[in-house]
Amino acid sequence: RVQLVPSGGGSVPSGGSTTLSCEISGQFYRNDHFCVAWFRQLPGNKREGLAAIWMRGQSTTYADSVKGRFTIAQDSATYTTYLQMNSLKPEDTATYYCAAELRSWLPLSQYEYMSWGPGIQVNVSS
């Protein structure tokens, strides 16, 4: 199986920036159809898909809620995926997750991903 280890997060002032990282190991990550996505979740809510990318390509997809503010990127040499978050707002406060799966497209639904890293907290203060 795939292991995902996220890092980053913490407290950020409104309007600030931060970058989350997700280091990936295990099976399948060298497959051309291996995609990684970032999600966030508030208590009592389902996980919201934010962005997804091919681990061995450059195509990306974004949720409308973060398009233009968040950027997903990957380093295929270190098998690490990044989520650069700019112009942060208090409503971006949530627990953030990275997830991975073999897919022929870039889904943003939590139900399309079977491998998940632990959540990391991002708090944006007003």
Side-chain angles (χ1 to χ4, degrees):
R1 291 299 299 171
V2 175
Q3 292 81 44
L4 300 99
V5 180
S7 59
S11 296
V12 187
S14 181
S17 300
T18 194
T19 300
L20 307 180
S21 302
C22 182
E23 187 175 346
I24 300 158
S25 61
Q27 294 181 304
F28 307 126
Y29 59 85
R30 291 187 174 88
N31 189 294
D32 285 347
H33 291 162
F34 188 81
C35 60
V36 180
W38 285 94
F39 292 78
R40 66 185 177 191
Q41 186 174 28
L42 292 171
N45 291 4
K46 71 175 185 179
R47 291 179 185 179
E48 175 191 11
L50 304 175
I53 189 169
W54 298 115
M55 200 64 219
R56 291 171 62 87
Q58 298 300 319
S59 292
T60 58
T61 190
Y62 292 92
D64 289 341
S65 58
V66 301
K67 198 174 295 183
R69 294 192 302 126
F70 291 9
T71 301
I72 190 170
Q74 53 87 352
D75 183 341
S76 57
T78 62
Y79 294 97
T80 302
T81 302
Y82 303 93
L83 185 68
Q84 171 72 37
M85 304 188 292
N86 299 324
S87 302
L88 284 164
K89 309 171 184 178
E91 51 264 43
D92 292 317
T93 294
T95 302
Y96 284 73
Y97 298 86
C98 56
E101 194 52 69
L102 288 172
R103 287 288 181 266
S104 59
W105 73 105
L106 291 173
L108 289 180
S109 168
Q110 65 179 48
Y111 304 110
E112 296 292 341
Y113 291 86
M114 300 298 112
S115 298
W116 292 83
I120 52 175
Q121 186 67 30
V122 175
N123 294 315
V124 183
S125 57
S126 56

